[in-house]
Amino acid sequence: MLIDRGTLICYYSLNNPVTDARYSGQLTESCSLIEYMFIALAVLMAACEKPILDEEDAVTRKEANVILHMTQYEQEAFGNSGNRAATRATTDITELCSRLNIAIFDDGGTKVKTVAQKEGDASFGTVALTLAAGTYQFVVIAHNGEGSATITSTEKVTFPNNKVTDTFYYYGDLVVTSEVQSYDLTLTRAVAMFRMVLTDEEIPSSVAKFKFYYTGGSSTFSPSAGYGCVNSKQTEIRTVADGVTTFDIFTLPHTEEDVLTKLTVTALDANDNTVKERVFENIPVTRNQITRYTGSFSVAAAAARPPTAPSASPPIQIGTA
């Protein structure tokens, strides 16, 4: 029985729980032969157990008794063009995210299983596992980070180098019985996006990259709450390329209607020297929406308008309710 706590679509399956056993001890010259035998037996038993490590398909579908499968969903992707994309009913979560991390917790809150997959894996988007009968809570995180997300608990997920990318999640209860169970899950987008669209005729050749430094959002996520759970100072670097005038950053809002209290955008040269800087304040951000600033980054334009009053268009709805 699956008790749904999420919202959006996908399919999954999960692997058998393993326990974390550690052995430490010392042998002394005074040990008797029997003591040696007992210690050797203990070492052998400990060696037969496995630590809780990320796994990819340690259990085949024939062996699995729980299958959770990512599938298609009806939600607009953020996209890269700066234009609102049409709602697509056939987009797969694996087309938007390059990594999947799953963690399963027993009814006492102890993590008993983790699974990690990445784009390119043969079974990316489908995980099979064996679980003993009982009640569990589990978390699924789909994202585009450079490494696996760390799911510490149902209340804390962190990402490599605290970098937030387009991220989806599922959190729910799972009641495992003696029968094989298969579920379609629904994932929810966890992030808000700020998009800067520059209208300058060209970005000066001296500008090699933009640094975005912002406060008010979170880089740590609580699946049980569905929102960010710390007050973070986030930094993102976006390299300038020919013809690219749109730059996106993400954060995890603390509430449905949140605010980036301050965003400093700095144009840097190849040696990280400041070429130009602009400051935006009190930017509204909403989970599953884009807040867009469209305007010039030039010195003349910056002098003509207050740096703390960006002409951000209203948040753009990018997903279904």
Side-chain angles (χ1 to χ4, degrees), residues 202-220:
E202 63 178 3
I203 298 175
S205 58
S206 58
V207 178
K209 53 194 169 184
F210 286 102
K211 181 176 77 172
F212 295 80
Y213 174 76
Y214 48 111
T215 56
S218 176
S219 60
T220 301

Side-chain angles (χ1 to χ4, degrees), residues 250-320:
F250 299 92
T251 195
L252 294 159
H254 298 96
T255 60
E256 194 61 27
E257 301 291 336
D258 205 356
V259 171
L260 291 181
T261 53
K262 187 175 183 180
L263 165 63
T264 301
V265 184
T266 307
L268 301 172
D269 64 17
N271 296 315
D272 290 338
N273 297 310
T274 298
V275 177
K276 176 87 185 74
E277 188 171 275
R278 295 201 62 183
V279 177
F280 306 95
E281 292 183 347
N282 299 321
I283 302 170
V285 288
T286 302
R287 187 177 64 176
N288 198 42
Q289 291 189 5
I290 300 171
T291 300
R292 179 166 53 195
Y293 164 77
T294 301
S296 175
F297 202 82
S298 68
V299 175
R305 67 178 74 173
T308 57
S311 57
S313 59
I316 303 169
Q317 180 66 43
I318 58 89
T320 56

Side-chain angles (χ1 to χ4, degrees), residues 88-287:
R88 295 178 295 172
T90 58
T91 301
D92 192 291
I93 190 68
T94 58
E95 295 180 15
L96 295 179
C97 297
S98 60
R99 291 184 181 272
L100 296 169
N101 294 104
I102 305 96
I104 302 173
F105 302 85
D106 63 20
D107 55 4
T110 300
K111 183 161 54 178
V112 298
K113 182 69 178 177
T114 63
V115 178
Q117 291 186 338
K118 62 182 182 297
E119 188 176 23
D121 292 344
S123 59
F124 184 50
T126 299
V127 182
L129 56 107
T130 299
L131 289 171
T135 301
Y136 302 87
Q137 293 180 316
F138 71 103
V139 174
V140 178
I141 300 292
H143 62 105
N144 294 293
E146 294 184 358
S148 290
T150 300
I151 306 174
T152 303
S153 69
T154 60
E155 298 177 348
K156 184 180 180 182
V157 177
T158 56
F159 299 91
N161 302 313
N162 294 321
K163 300 299 183 183
V164 178
T165 60
D166 198 4
T167 302
F168 299 79
Y169 78 101
Y170 180 91
Y171 165 64
D173 293 340
L174 177 65
V175 180
V176 178
T177 65
S178 58
E179 298 180 356
V180 176
Q181 299 162 278
S182 180
Y183 300 104
D184 296 349
L185 303 183
T186 297
L187 267 68
T188 300
R189 182 174 259 130
V191 297
M193 178 199 288
F194 174 82
R195 168 171 282 162
M196 182 175 73
V197 182
L198 299 183
T199 58
D200 302 83
E201 292 186 3
E202 63 178 3
I203 298 175
S205 58
S206 58
V207 178
K209 53 194 169 184
F210 286 102
K211 181 176 77 172
F212 295 80
Y213 174 76
Y214 48 111
T215 56
S218 176
S219 60
T220 301
F221 183 63
S222 170
S224 60
Y227 295 101
C229 56
V230 300
N231 294 317
S232 300
K233 297 177 180 178
Q234 296 176 256
T235 301
E236 294 290 345
I237 302 295
R238 297 291 182 262
T239 302
V240 173
D242 289 342
V244 176
T245 58
T246 298
F247 303 89
D248 300 334
I249 58 173
F250 299 92
T251 195
L252 294 159
H254 298 96
T255 60
E256 194 61 27
E257 301 291 336
D258 205 356
V259 171
L260 291 181
T261 53
K262 187 175 183 180
L263 165 63
T264 301
V265 184
T266 307
L268 301 172
D269 64 17
N271 296 315
D272 290 338
N273 297 310
T274 298
V275 177
K276 176 87 185 74
E277 188 171 275
R278 295 201 62 183
V279 177
F280 306 95
E281 292 183 347
N282 299 321
I283 302 170
V285 288
T286 302
R287 187 177 64 176

